[in-house]
Structures are given as C-alpha cells and as structure tokens.
Amino acid sequence: MSDHSDVSVPTRVEIYDTTLRDGSQLEGISLTVDDKLRIAEQLDWLGVDYIEAGWPGANPKDDEVFRRAASELALASSVLVAFGSTRRPKGKVDSDDTLRHLLDANTSTVCIVGKAWDYHVTEALQTTLDEGEAMVAESVEFLHDAGRAVFFDAEHFFDGYRRNPEFSLRVLEAAAENGATRLVLCDTNGGTLPHDIERIVREVVTYFSKDVGVAVHLHDDAGTGVANALAGVRGGAIQVQGTINGYGERTGNCNLTTIIPNLTLKMGIETIPRDRLERLTPVAHHVAELVNMALNPQAPYVGESAFAHKAGLHVSAIVKRPDAYEHVPPDSVGNGTRFVVSELAGRSTILLKAQELGLQLDGPQVNDVVDTLKQMEHEGYHFEVADASLELLMRRASGWSQPWFEVESFRVITDDLQTEVTPGGVATEATIKVHLGGDRIVATAEGNGPVNALDSALRSALGSRYAALDRVHLTDYKVRVLDTAKGTGAVTRVLIDSTNGDRTWTTIGVSENIIEASWQALYDSLVYGLLLGAGDHKERSAPQHAD
Ligand SMILES: [Zn+2]
C-alpha cells in the first residue's frame, strides 16, 4: 500500500480498554461491581493507558463502580474514564442528565459519543444536521470547561464518512474546536475492511494535522477487528480502543490481547510498558475467569494452544531451534511452549514433556508411560486435550503419589422425587469415605447432579484443610459417548475443565459407567488443583492486586 501523504506511523500508541463498558455488552457476560473493580486492577497491573469503567447514570451498578473506584482502586498506571453521550437534541447542556452524571463520576477524563453519520442525525435523532453538530460542540465545550479531558467518540464514523465526508468531518471539527483531545473514529457496525480503515484514518489525520490525536474504536464483524486496528495505526491513529479477549457485542471488539503484542513485537511500537508484556497471558486468563467464560484455547498469543506443538517429527527440532517454529518467544507474552502428547507419541516426546514438567524419568519409566498411554488411548482416553491428567499420569510413573488424601469408597444415589411437594424434583446425594492423616472421614453432600454431589462430598470430607481447594472450581463438564469395537456397551468419556483463577486445566475419565468416568476426571481435577496450590509446579500467576 502506498502512502498518499506524509502521515507517519506513530512510535507510541495509547491503549484504551473498554472491557468494562463495551465489552460487557457481550451476551452471557454479567459483571458485578466487585468483578468490575477486580478487572480494573488487572488492567492497571497490565499497564493500559485508559480504563473506561462504565456509563454513569445508565444503571445503578455503573454509578457504584465510580463511587467505589474513588476509594477502593489505587490505579498506578491507568486513567479511569467515564463514558456518556452528548446532550439530547434541542436540550441545554447545563440541565442535561447525562452530562451531569458524567461530571458526578468525578474522573479526570470523559469520553462522549455523538453521531457522525448524517443519516443517523436525520433518521435516528430526527433533527437537523446543524443541531447534530451543535449537540457535539456544546457538550464537549461544557465538559472541557468543567476541567475534564474530553475524548469524542464519533459513532458510525466510517459508514458516515463514506457517504457524506463533509458532515462527518464537520462533527469532528466541532469536537476538536471545543477542546476534545482525542477524536475516536468508530466502526460501530464493524463491517469496514482494513484498507478502507487505513485510507480514511490517514485522510482524517492529514486533515487535522497535529492539532488533535486520532483514535480508532473497531469491531470484529468482518473478522478483521485486530487487522483494522493495525491499519488504523498505519494510517496515523495514536490510540487504539478495544477489550481484553475481544469481548463485545455481536462478534466482539478489537482484541487488545492480540493487538498489543502485534504492535509491540511486530511493529516496534510502544504500547504498555515493555517489561509488562509478559503479564498478557495471566491477565487474559484472569479476566476470562472474572467474566466466567472459558478463554478460547486458540486465542493468538494467550490461548492454551497458542504455542502447543503436536508430537511429531519436528518436536526435537523445536527444542533445538524454537525460533524456527514459533512466531514469537512464548514467554515474551507470558505463555509457554507446550508439547501435546498423544498415543502417537514416541519416547522422545515423552522425554520432552517430562523435561517441560521438571520430572526425572529413567528409561524403563519412559517405556512404561509410552505403553500406558497407548493402552489408555485405545480404551478411549484422549490425553491431547487433558494436559492435567497426563501430567498426573507421568508423575505417578516417576513414583509420585498424591499425599493429600486417600479415598476408600464413594457412592452416588439419585432419587426421583416426583411428589406434590417437589414436582419434577430429582435429588442426587453422594457419600464418600476418605482417609486423611490417620482419620477416617465419612461425608455426605447433595448436588444438582452426580459430579456436583461428589465434588461437594469430597470437599466436605477434606474440610478446610487445604486452602488451595477453595480457589478451584469446575468450569465445564463434557460427556461424549464413544463407539467401541467390542459392541458390549458404550464407553463414556468425560472431560472436566477447572480453574483456580490463574490457571485452567482439563482432566479426563473413561469408563462404561458415566459416574466412574466423571469421578476419575473430578479426582484428577482436584488433585491437580492441590498440586498447583502446593507450589511445586511452575506457576504463571497474576497477583491479585496491582503492584
Ligand atoms: Zn463499540
């Protein structure tokens, strides 16, 4: 692509996070005030420039976020931003509720959205273009006069600019002339492609010269959210807005966990402090945990599979020359190389895996693992997707056994309680007998299903003895019925995903009996959680609070 102007690519780009406002529009996300404050701490620890924390006045929750943020958040690196909109049509700025709420939020910086597409002014607002421009001009002026740094979010900018560039630029000018320090070009419908983003951003940057900074706010509707942000930066944008893990309505926002390393590692542009780039993976996982959505394993840079190599010819080559097989060093973003082990694995892969886990296996032990894996995968186990179970299996092969508890037996009962008192009620109860430091403990618990009841019973038996278990919970439970060659009955494979807030892991169980399969996966999950908690395992953990 050739440059048509003297606009140069910036050497530093501000990162503006809107996970708490735009990101929380994603279906299935419902954040409490506490969640939002915890996410803000993570963002500050990561070192983003701005944290857009919500829309004061829009709902009581966001009001509380700003109220509590003032006393509870000690932000060391980030600036908190309150979001709102311009005054209403034909209204007065000094009697406008939205603007008053923005000031009440008491942040140094505010971001207000206004219409930059003529069609929206005449059709959605049902007002004139002059009034549309005045709404922007007066609102920015009002907030600026009240001592706020004002960012102006030009809604539907790219769509508007394509149809009526004169009006879209007029709106930006109104914002800039009245004190806005950032003009945020929004691709609100998210369908614009990178080459158009780059061209239009460059035209706007050229038009305003160096008077005001241009920012981009982009959505992923065409699957090019991150590419669009890179294009925007090439066009001269000095701020990128987006969300952790790309959360946002529809297909999401520009994914900051991808754009930050792209800008830093590939384009040599400063974003967050360089020495904090390795916090990216823990923050992505921690935020995923707080929004209660499993992180996509294939997420670039931060996903579990981002640097996973399947066993094969090139495994030993990767160890010798990792740069030949990985586009960036995984630890630069806080992730790690992982060797995926399956029945195809030979001795060399097992040895590498042992090395990765810090285990000493001798020759016969390696042979044992290879044989056991082959046998178990034949029975229906699939260790490629159950790293934690694989690790436990390899540890056991090295002579390790878990020191925390010993299970004597368990029993699960499910009762159909179709009575008039409990119509449609089904009750599940689990009883477990455990030996714990010389004591024999019998514990019973109810649950909404066998896995839940067993989980509760085992935790109840262990009591409060192991604090690490309090942080462990199950996030997903998958059952698959496998065809068997034997034809004697279906074999069930159970996969359980678990997390302790910093790490997620998967365990597996296989049996003709679904309860037995579930138990195996559950047992491994809790033992692995204890193993992580015991600290004799390399951890990638994020501190709970900003440093
Ligand atoms: Zn948006």
Side-chain angles (χ1 to χ4, degrees):
M1 213 171 282
S2 63
D3 286 337
H4 300 289
S5 72
D6 57 357
V7 169
S8 55
V9 178
T11 54
R12 153 123 174 91
V13 166
E14 299 167 348
I15 299 298
Y16 182 108
D17 181 280
T18 180
T19 304
L20 298 176
R21 203 267 308 169
D22 222 9
S24 68
Q25 303 291 316
L26 174 60
E27 298 177 62
I29 291 190
S30 172
L31 296 170
T32 65
V33 173
D34 278 304
D35 292 335
K36 291 193 176 203
L37 295 174
R38 295 295 85 74
I39 290 174
E41 284 172 354
Q42 290 290 309
L43 293 166
D44 183 57
W45 185 66
L46 180 63
V48 305
D49 295 279
Y50 297 99
I51 300 172
E52 191 177 78
W55 185 326
N59 58 62
K61 214 190 263 181
D62 281 9
D63 290 343
E64 199 186 329
V65 167
F66 285 101
R67 199 165 52 240
R68 286 181 53 188
S71 56
E72 294 176 36
L73 278 187
L75 300 182
S77 352
S78 311
V79 171
L80 207 67
V81 182
F83 183 86
S85 70
T86 59
R87 69 158 170 80
R88 63 182 70 245
K90 309 280 183 211
K92 293 250 177 300
V93 285
D94 44 15
S95 60
D96 190 89
D97 283 346
T98 302
L99 295 176
R100 183 172 52 78
H101 283 127
L102 269 173
L103 293 182
D104 288 349
N106 229 352
T107 56
S108 65
T109 304
V110 296
C111 183
I112 56 166
V113 62
K115 307 255 182 240
W117 182 0
D118 60 352
Y119 185 62
H120 271 259
V121 175
T122 54
E123 299 309 309
L125 294 181
Q126 298 274 320
T127 192
T128 64
L129 296 185
D130 284 344
E131 171 63 4
E133 182 191 341
M135 287 164 66
V136 173
E138 291 170 21
S139 303
V140 171
E141 182 185 35
F142 175 76
L143 294 166
H144 178 69
D145 287 351
R148 302 299 188 271
V150 186
F151 294 176
F152 175 66
D153 235 22
E155 195 186 42
H156 295 288
F157 181 82
F158 293 93
D159 291 322
Y161 185 87
R162 270 194 297 255
R163 290 162 177 87
N164 183 349
E166 188 266 333
F167 177 72
S168 298
L169 285 174
R170 213 171 110 197
V171 170
L172 292 185
E173 232 162 350
E177 280 168 5
N178 286 283
T181 52
R182 293 287 176 272
L183 303 176
V184 187
L185 313 186
C186 301
D187 189 25
T188 312
N189 289 348
T192 309
L193 294 179
H195 54 278
D196 281 329
I197 298 277
E198 180 170 347
R199 174 179 60 82
I200 293 172
V201 169
R202 180 173 290 121
E203 285 170 17
V204 172
V205 169
T206 306
Y207 185 87
F208 284 94
S209 168
K210 295 222 178 330
D211 303 344
V212 59
V214 170
V216 282
H217 176 111
L218 306 157
H219 283 254
D220 198 37
D221 293 77
T224 57
V226 168
N228 284 1
L230 294 176
V233 169
R234 282 179 49 83
I238 60 158
Q239 178 186 102
V240 168
Q241 302 199 343
T243 60
I244 296 297
N245 300 329
Y247 300 130
E249 62 185 323
R250 307 189 305 276
T251 54
N253 280 56
C254 167
N255 189 342
L256 290 181
T257 44
T258 311
I259 191 80
I260 290 172
N262 276 341
L263 289 172
T264 309
L265 297 174
K266 309 246 160 158
M267 291 170 74
I269 295 171
E270 270 187 70
T271 55
I272 59 173
R274 187 61 200 244
D275 58 356
R276 298 200 193 180
L277 201 59
E278 65 190 33
R279 299 182 181 182
L280 207 56
T281 298
V283 168
H285 286 259
H286 203 113
V287 173
E289 164 65 9
L290 287 166
V291 306
N292 199 21
M293 289 182 84
L295 182 69
N296 175 12
Q298 292 187 300
Y301 295 103
V302 299
E304 287 288 323
S305 304
F307 301 97
H309 303 278
K310 199 147 172 174
L313 270 183
H314 67 294
V315 163
S316 52
I318 295 171
V319 176
K320 285 192 212 99
R321 292 271 175 269
D323 59 338
Y325 295 90
E326 291 175 331
H327 70 123
V328 297
D331 53 0
S332 64
V333 289
N335 210 337
T337 300
R338 216 158 54 82
F339 295 106
V340 180
V341 174
S342 77
E343 61 184 323
L344 300 172
R347 289 177 47 91
S348 62
T349 316
I350 296 298
L351 277 169
L352 283 170
K353 187 78 193 176
Q355 206 179 316
E356 180 193 323
L357 299 173
L359 291 177
Q360 300 289 334
L361 293 181
D362 61 22
Q365 285 170 333
V366 171
N367 290 340
D368 257 11
V369 172
V370 172
D371 292 346
T372 309
L373 273 179
K374 286 204 161 85
Q375 179 57 34
M376 290 179 83
E377 297 234 335
H378 179 69
E379 289 165 19
Y381 286 84
H382 192 46
F383 285 101
E384 247 182 78
V385 292
D387 239 25
S389 288
L390 174 69
E391 180 173 338
L392 292 175
L393 183 144
M394 291 182 61
R395 282 180 184 274
R396 287 174 197 127
S398 74
W400 177 84
S401 64
Q402 63 97 345
W404 300 290
F405 63 94
E406 203 180 311
V407 177
E408 181 186 309
S409 65
F410 70 83
R411 183 169 68 174
V412 182
I413 308 165
T414 296
D415 282 324
D416 184 348
L417 294 177
Q418 294 271 11
T419 69
E420 283 171 12
V421 188
T422 56
V426 176
T428 304
E429 189 183 283
T431 301
I432 195 159
K433 296 172 186 167
V434 175
H435 293 260
L436 197 61
D439 300 330
R440 179 172 182 269
I441 299 163
V442 180
T444 297
E446 291 180 321
N448 56 20
V451 178
N452 182 235
L454 274 169
D455 185 32
S456 302
L458 182 53
R459 284 167 189 267
S460 146
L462 301 181
S464 53
R465 198 167 301 213
Y466 302 117
L469 271 193
D470 297 343
R471 295 181 62 208
V472 174
H473 63 264
L474 316 185
T475 54
D476 201 6
Y477 170 78
K478 291 191 235 30
V479 178
R480 184 146 169 221
V481 176
L482 308 173
D483 282 336
T484 58
K486 293 186 290 181
T488 50
V491 166
T492 306
R493 177 200 288 153
V494 167
L495 290 172
I496 290 179
D497 294 340
S498 310
T499 183
N500 62 4
D502 298 330
R503 286 278 310 269
T504 57
W505 60 91
T506 305
T507 51
I508 189 167
V510 171
S511 169
E512 290 179 10
N513 180 321
I514 185 170
I515 305 278
E516 167 63 20
S518 304
W519 166 254
Q520 292 171 6
L522 175 68
Y523 176 89
D524 272 5
S525 158
L526 298 182
V527 168
Y528 195 75
L530 286 166
L531 184 65
L532 289 178
D536 56 345
H537 188 275
K538 59 181 171 127
E539 281 209 58
R540 302 192 301 244
S541 66
Q544 302 298 302
H545 298 281
D547 61 358

